[in-house]
Amino acid sequence: MNTPKKENKTIGIIGGMGPLATVDLFNKIVNLCDCKTDLEHPRVLIDSNTNGPDRSPAILRGGPSPLSDMVRSALTLERGGADVLVMACNTAHYFYNDIIPFVRIPFLNMLEETAKYIHEKGYTTVALMCTDGTTKSGVYHRELEKFNINVLTLNEKDQEITLQMIHDGVKAGSKTWDTVEITRIIADFAAAGAQAVIMGCTELPVAFSQYEIDSCLPTIDPTEIIARSAIRFVGVKVRGE
């Protein structure tokens, strides 16, 4: 008698914010799975929905809200068979609690998982590099405060330098970028007492890798952290664990 094939559980990615960051999350899920064959990998559904308005203007200036597009993505993935949801955008987690009531499956929170990771590493002061919407809304601060972790943020000039790399570099598809100022920013954070730096925009792990940024501090990659959490959730072994 033939044994029925075990159906792999399914991860659903709410993506498109932006597309390359979504690819980065999927790539990390694939590469972090300790699997020897295709059949051992989890099934992954991706909705790279690029239709929603920009998150930061919606959060900071009352611009058009992307919430309805995020909810549609979540429901599309749920109907497609996802067992768990993750979202490939830090800033979009401002809307996390507004999406939850619409779905019936677990939805892992990248910021919450990152805060847990930082606490487990024993860091008490970290630097945060991210978008305006993320820093000014305080979404990371609220998660880190639960563990009494101090957060250092960018000044206005350094925030603009970081945003230029995110938007004019990664999002615009530039393959090269002058990172001298980014390196200086991280050194300033280290001098101010930061023990590590959170790459708190999903384009930043892409930038740090693509532009070979030399960081004097340990870097914390929320994309990798949520990839590991999703893999564990669906019962697949994480490589190296």
Side-chain angles (χ1 to χ4, degrees), residues 144-159:
L144 293 166
E145 282 171 1
K146 295 175 184 177
F147 299 102
N148 296 314
I149 297 167
N150 184 40
V151 186
L152 305 181
T153 55
L154 297 161
N155 60 38
E156 187 174 344
K157 174 191 170 185
D158 292 346
Q159 180 72 24

Side-chain angles (χ1 to χ4, degrees), residues 73-129:
S73 285
L75 293 175
T76 296
L77 294 164
E78 183 178 56
R79 287 193 296 268
D83 296 291
V84 62
L85 296 174
V86 291
M87 186 154 58
C89 176
N90 288 268
T91 308
H93 281 72
Y94 174 84
F95 301 95
Y96 175 85
N97 288 330
D98 297 318
I99 301 170
I100 288 290
F102 292 94
V103 295
R104 295 172 294 176
I105 57 176
F107 184 2
L108 302 182
N109 186 313
M110 179 159 57
L111 281 59
E112 180 181 335
E113 295 297 307
T114 300
K116 290 177 184 176
Y117 170 86
I118 293 169
H119 175 65
E120 289 166 2
K121 293 291 286 186
Y123 297 131
T124 56
T125 300
V126 294
L128 175 62
M129 298 179 72

Side-chain angles (χ1 to χ4, degrees), residues 116-195:
K116 290 177 184 176
Y117 170 86
I118 293 169
H119 175 65
E120 289 166 2
K121 293 291 286 186
Y123 297 131
T124 56
T125 300
V126 294
L128 175 62
M129 298 179 72
C130 59
T131 65
D132 288 343
T134 298
T135 188
K136 292 180 180 178
S137 67
V139 286
Y140 257 113
H141 289 72
R142 285 193 287 276
E143 294 299 333
L144 293 166
E145 282 171 1
K146 295 175 184 177
F147 299 102
N148 296 314
I149 297 167
N150 184 40
V151 186
L152 305 181
T153 55
L154 297 161
N155 60 38
E156 187 174 344
K157 174 191 170 185
D158 292 346
Q159 180 72 24
E160 183 59 31
I161 290 168
T162 302
L163 290 176
Q164 284 175 351
M165 184 174 67
I166 291 170
H167 291 284
D168 299 336
V170 177
K171 286 183 180 291
S174 176
K175 300 304 180 186
T176 60
W177 194 261
D178 185 347
T179 62
V180 170
E181 282 294 279
I182 299 295
T183 302
R184 190 267 306 162
I185 289 168
I186 298 170
D188 288 349
F189 274 137
Q195 299 160 301

